[in-house]
Amino acid sequence: METEEILDLLRQAADEVIIPRFRALSEDQVQEKSPGDLVTVADREAEIFLTKRLQDAYPDAAVLGEEATSIDPRVLERASQAPHVFTIDPVDGTRNFVEGSPDYAVMVGEVRNGQTVRSWIYQPQHQRAYVAEAGAGAWCNGKRIKPLNPPADPARLVGATSNRKLLKQPPQGLAPLEEAWWSCGIDYPRLAGGEVDFLVYKNDWPWDHVPGALLVAEVGGATGRLDGSAYDLVTRRPWVLTTASRQVMGPVGAALAAVVG
């Protein structure tokens, strides 16, 4: 499928399944997968919709959906061994969605032989669509996003996180971190647009980070671990760092690692 055709699938899922439930969820349409981790009927139905359409178009590809994985963790293991994978986060920022905040997104990433080649982030309430293709650039609503130009001095960088420990205990050598938007589908585009210079997360689920990491890479940024090693679809361990340039990843990662251990 062409890049625009897959973006149309995200829009269709939002229009038909997600937006009609926005600020209209009944109590029985919201559940907890684990304490504090919410899922709604919109998450489940949107993922089913996107999975079917992608599998119809790419029958040999693995589809790694957040909700399917929460039911059967073997989905993640199978996808990690597949040469062609689509990641799906049907409603990224579910808590925001449940609370009536417009800061949520639909996200899909495409990975071939371990490398992310295309990604899509659609923010239904903001009517913004972000698309990235490896080596070809990143766009917002059809307009190419300009390369990032962050400060070289780590102390001048603006960082954001949802991790309470880092918000309360600023890393030495860095400015106090701001609170992120509680949705990777909002966070990553804000970094790509130059509103913040780095993002740090404790959880490293592929459906959260694969789409945004490519978006940021295509405007000059980088995503990896606090020790500077690469982020990938297969490896699971805490902490993911995305910076507006690879040059600042070392000092920022070291400062954060000194706090979180």
Side-chain angles (χ1 to χ4, degrees), residues 10 13-14 17-19 21-22 25 33 37-48 50 65-67 88-99 101-108 122 124-125 182-186 207-208:
L10 273 68
V17 178
I18 300 170
I19 294 174
R21 270 64 178 260
F22 183 59
L25 289 164
K33 294 182 285 188
D37 187 9
L38 301 180
V39 62
T40 74
V41 63
D43 294 77
R44 292 187 171 127
E45 290 186 4
E47 182 169 306
I48 290 169
L50 291 168
E66 178 180 5
E67 306 314 329
I88 299 176
D89 196 335
V91 181
D92 182 74
T94 298
R95 182 169 291 280
N96 288 351
F97 179 73
V98 170
E99 293 177 350
S101 165
D103 288 343
Y104 69 89
V106 188
M107 302 199 297
V108 171
Y122 179 51
Q125 304 304 139
W182 291 90
S183 166
C184 292
I186 302 295
W207 46 81
D208 283 331

Side-chain angles (χ1 to χ4, degrees), residues 76-150:
L76 180 55
E77 181 181 351
R78 290 193 294 268
S80 68
Q81 299 170 0
H84 187 196
V85 182
F86 284 95
T87 66
I88 299 176
D89 196 335
V91 181
D92 182 74
T94 298
R95 182 169 291 280
N96 288 351
F97 179 73
V98 170
E99 293 177 350
S101 165
D103 288 343
Y104 69 89
V106 188
M107 302 199 297
V108 171
E110 183 181 13
V111 181
R112 290 184 180 267
N113 300 314
Q115 301 297 314
T116 307
V117 295
R118 294 190 293 177
S119 71
W120 302 261
I121 300 174
Y122 179 51
Q123 301 170 348
Q125 304 304 139
H126 298 300
Q127 289 294 291
R128 287 193 290 261
Y130 296 85
V131 175
E133 296 189 43
W139 296 264
C140 175
N141 289 350
K143 183 178 180 181
R144 188 155 188 163
I145 304 174
K146 296 179 181 179
L148 294 165
N149 185 29

Side-chain angles (χ1 to χ4, degrees), residues 2-22:
E2 297 295 328
T3 299
E4 190 66 25
E5 291 179 292
I6 295 181
L7 179 58
D8 285 342
L9 291 182
L10 273 68
R11 290 192 177 110
Q12 188 177 354
D15 289 344
E16 295 182 7
V17 178
I18 300 170
I19 294 174
R21 270 64 178 260
F22 183 59

Side-chain angles (χ1 to χ4, degrees), residues 209-227:
H209 302 292
V210 164
L214 179 61
L215 180 75
V216 170
E218 288 302 306
V219 292
T223 298
R225 305 291 179 170
L226 300 188
D227 62 4

Side-chain angles (χ1 to χ4, degrees), residues 14-15 27 35 38 123 153 162 170 178 217 241:
D15 289 344
E27 187 174 335
L38 301 180
Q123 301 170 348
D153 180 3
S162 300
E178 298 180 357
L241 172 65

